Amino acid sequence: MVNLILVSHSEKLVDGLKELLAEMASDVEIHNAAGLEGGKIGTDVSRIEEAFSSITDDAIILTDIGSATMNAEMALELYTGDRTIQFVDVPLVEGAFLAAVQSGQGQSVEKIVKALEGEFS
């Protein structure tokens, strides 16, 4: 099943989103790569890289704003693992919802990306 990596400036935001998504797609692995040490607001490439190292299947990255996207793209450039990880620039909450449902239905990264782009582009 395709994993989701959620990158936000707020760890609390992603924790709440994970809770919501668990109601819709409880089997989908969702990785929190949000916030800074000590619960501070911000993003950090190393948290995203940690999420990369914990995925169990191919993954999709979704971000909230600005530096979250920049750090996700930087982490992808540095990634040397064997999983497919795809960044999709869509709204975080709505995109995560659609991606989680699609993943829970067994869709591939490519099909989920196409669904996200079709819905939000």
Side-chain angles (χ1 to χ4, degrees), residues 67-118:
S67 64
T69 300
M70 180 182 71
N71 284 330
E73 290 171 339
M74 186 182 313
L76 275 172
E77 288 178 20
L78 299 170
Y79 180 65
T80 59
D82 59 351
R83 301 284 186 187
T84 297
I85 303 176
Q86 178 79 39
F87 167 70
V88 187
D89 190 10
V90 297
L92 177 64
V93 174
E94 296 88 343
F97 182 85
L98 178 57
V101 169
Q102 294 273 314
S103 177
Q105 294 173 348
Q107 299 298 320
S108 67
V109 166
E110 295 79 15
K111 287 189 177 185
I112 296 171
V113 168
K114 186 174 183 178
L116 289 167
E117 291 174 344

Side-chain angles (χ1 to χ4, degrees), residues 8 22 30-31 41 43-44 50 52 73 85-86 95 113 118:
S8 170
I30 301 169
H31 302 270
I41 297 293
T43 61
D44 184 349
E50 287 174 24
F52 288 177
E73 290 171 339
I85 303 176
Q86 178 79 39
V113 168

Side-chain angles (χ1 to χ4, degrees), residues 36-84:
L36 297 174
E37 194 73 29
K40 294 181 182 174
I41 297 293
T43 61
D44 184 349
V45 172
S46 66
R47 285 190 175 215
I48 301 166
E49 291 175 321
E50 287 174 24
F52 288 177
S53 67
S54 65
I55 60 174
T56 59
D57 205 334
D58 294 340
I60 291 176
I61 303 174
L62 301 172
T63 63
D64 58 7
I65 57 173
S67 64
T69 300
M70 180 182 71
N71 284 330
E73 290 171 339
M74 186 182 313
L76 275 172
E77 288 178 20
L78 299 170
Y79 180 65
T80 59
D82 59 351
R83 301 284 186 187
T84 297

